[in-house]
Amino acid sequence: MQPQVLIVDDNPQHRLLLGAQVRMLGCAVLQATGGSEALDVIERRTPPVDLVITDVWMPEMSGIELLKAIRTRVPEMPIALISAAADLESSLEAINAGAYAYLKKPFSQNDVRDLIGRGLTRLNELRAARMLTQIDAIGGESHAVISDLLTGLRHELSNITQAIRLNLDSMKEQERIPNTIHENFSDLETSLDDLLSVLARVKEFPAAGETNQRIDMGDLLERVVEDIQRLAPRARVTFRAPAETVLVTGSERDLYRAVFNVVRNAVEASPKVQVSLAVNGTVLISVADQGQGFPREVLARPFTPGLTTKAPPQSGAHGKGWGLFITRTILALHKGEISLANLPEGGALATIRLPLAARHMAAAG
């Protein structure tokens, strides 16, 4: 069945042009002139709407207001916003409200292709997550099977890691190996250690349940920013947080590692980075930089092991493509998620969502 894409824009010419581009990608196109009509289509449409693309500035209801209204009805609906005028504040508001992308007009066919591809990828990830939740709910034998599979996987990865390390040791002794390759050895070894460590906790997590540490995310983020500044003294990392304490439950060590990976990637892309903490039903952590943005192939498959977001080796930065994979795994263990987007005014944005600690939610209510 064709993906059902709903385009919301009060300008009929804009709907027509964008609809033609979306149809060329093999999708069925639905249209709405404003927020109320869009909500009606979403509630009554059969087959259901798979993806929404909405303009931001509309007279009856803004795109961000529509986004929030859809979230109350279909929380997991992939929604992208488009606008001829965008700034960092509006982009952050849109992403924090749940948009998976914010695209600035005018845009090309390649931009639309990327937008649709990322939305459908997001849809497939959500469907897979629901399936895993259903499997998890079965309990008993399913946990035993998953545990056995992970045990075998860790064993195989341990063997692979040992083989890689032996080869690395051999390569280090070769005089003809370029210095740039030598610089990557420790990164590769660290990434493999991190992966094995995460897999070890994946095996334990379903059986043991969530770890019970109560973590002050404001404090954790302050430590991340301070540590990043020490490692990159020329960078300027600003941090904004609400006055109240924001608590989550989980592993402080793992969450530190996940957030540190994201902020470090941002600093490597741009000397100016903004880290923000907010609460909107969930904990929202935004990391925005002013770099060149994520390459299209990364946004299409952002968490694929081996696919790095970092610059080519000749630029001086390097990466092995495991950081985001490990980060998403850690966040998934905490019932959280991470999304990536390019900001319309330039730069990139990573958004982390985590559930509030139960006591914090009770206090907020």
Side-chain angles (χ1 to χ4, degrees):
M1 183 180 296
Q2 289 180 302
Q4 307 290 305
V5 179
L6 173 60
I7 298 174
V8 189
D9 198 318
D10 60 312
N11 188 312
Q13 187 67 18
H14 291 173
R15 294 198 308 272
L16 180 65
L17 292 175
L18 180 57
Q21 292 177 305
V22 172
R23 286 191 186 92
M24 290 175 62
L25 300 173
C27 299
V29 173
L30 311 170
Q31 295 188 21
T33 60
S36 296
E37 183 180 350
L39 293 173
D40 186 65
V41 171
I42 290 171
E43 290 178 352
R44 299 176 183 274
R45 174 71 183 179
T46 303
V49 174
D50 294 311
L51 176 66
V52 175
I53 304 175
T54 178
D55 189 29
V56 173
W57 307 112
M58 297 182 293
E60 174 202 1
M61 180 188 298
S62 74
I64 293 179
E65 290 172 335
L66 173 60
L67 165 64
K68 294 176 179 178
I70 294 174
R71 279 278 168 268
T72 64
R73 294 164 171 79
V74 191
E76 297 179 345
M77 174 78 71
I79 306 169
L81 275 68
I82 55 176
S83 175
D87 54 28
L88 177 60
E89 292 301 321
S90 64
S91 302
L92 287 173
E93 183 181 6
I95 300 298
N96 286 340
Y100 77 86
Y102 193 136
L103 189 62
K104 187 174 182 179
K105 300 176 184 177
F107 39 78
S108 66
Q109 179 65 30
N110 285 336
D111 292 330
V112 177
R113 181 180 295 107
D114 290 342
L115 191 71
I116 296 296
R118 289 166 55 200
L120 296 180
T121 297
R122 175 70 175 154
L123 182 66
N124 290 333
E125 288 177 347
L126 291 169
R127 288 172 175 170
R130 284 197 297 270
M131 184 180 297
L132 289 174
T133 300
Q134 293 171 354
I135 293 174
D136 182 68
I138 296 173
E141 293 183 2
S142 66
H143 280 314
V145 171
I146 293 172
S147 178
D148 289 344
L149 287 173
L150 288 171
T151 299
L153 179 59
R154 285 194 299 134
H155 177 73
E156 293 300 322
L157 283 173
S158 296
N159 291 338
I160 294 171
T161 302
Q162 184 62 28
I164 291 175
R165 283 178 175 149
L166 290 173
N167 280 279
L168 287 175
D169 290 340
S170 176
M171 291 175 66
K172 288 178 182 178
E173 297 175 358
Q174 302 298 317
E175 296 181 356
R176 295 183 180 181
I177 299 298
N179 290 333
T180 54
I181 294 180
H182 278 288
E183 293 173 359
N184 291 333
F185 286 158
S186 60
D187 279 358
L188 178 58
E189 292 172 338
T190 300
S191 295
L192 289 168
D193 287 339
D194 284 349
L195 178 61
L196 288 169
S197 177
V198 168
L199 284 170
R201 284 187 291 282
V202 168
K203 176 183 179 294
E204 298 169 357
F205 205 88
E210 296 180 359
T211 55
N212 58 6
Q213 290 177 286
R214 303 184 72 80
I215 305 161
D216 181 340
M217 289 306 298
D219 178 68
L220 185 146
L221 288 170
E222 282 186 358
R223 287 190 284 116
V224 168
V225 170
E226 290 173 0
D227 291 345
I228 291 289
Q229 288 282 198
R230 279 195 290 269
L231 290 173
R234 295 184 179 180
R236 181 171 175 264
V237 184
T238 58
F239 174 51
R240 297 190 306 180
E244 69 271 17
T245 301
V246 179
L247 297 175
V248 302
T249 303
S251 165
E252 184 172 359
R253 179 181 63 175
D254 286 350
L255 287 177
Y256 176 93
R257 175 186 296 177
V259 176
F260 185 90
N261 283 344
V262 175
V263 179
R264 180 179 58 185
N265 282 350
V267 168
E268 290 178 349
S270 164
K272 293 184 178 181
V273 173
Q274 178 178 307
V275 180
S276 303
L277 174 65
V279 176
N280 183 17
T282 60
V283 177
L284 300 173
I285 303 168
S286 303
V287 181
D289 66 58
Q290 299 178 15
Q292 298 181 354
F294 296 111
R296 286 175 175 168
E297 62 271 18
V298 171
L299 286 179
R301 299 181 297 120
F303 307 108
T304 301
L307 186 63
T308 179
T309 63
K310 298 179 182 178
Q314 58 266 30
S315 69
H318 50 273
K320 294 294 165 289
W322 287 101
L324 281 178
F325 173 77
I326 292 169
T327 295
R328 187 177 70 160
T329 303
I330 291 172
L331 295 173
L333 294 180
H334 291 77
K335 301 187 185 304
E337 60 181 20
I338 178 172
S339 59
L340 307 179
N342 285 333
L343 295 167
E345 68 277 11
L349 176 67
T351 303
I352 294 173
R353 300 174 186 274
L354 289 164
L356 286 162
R359 188 175 66 189
H360 185 103
M361 293 181 69

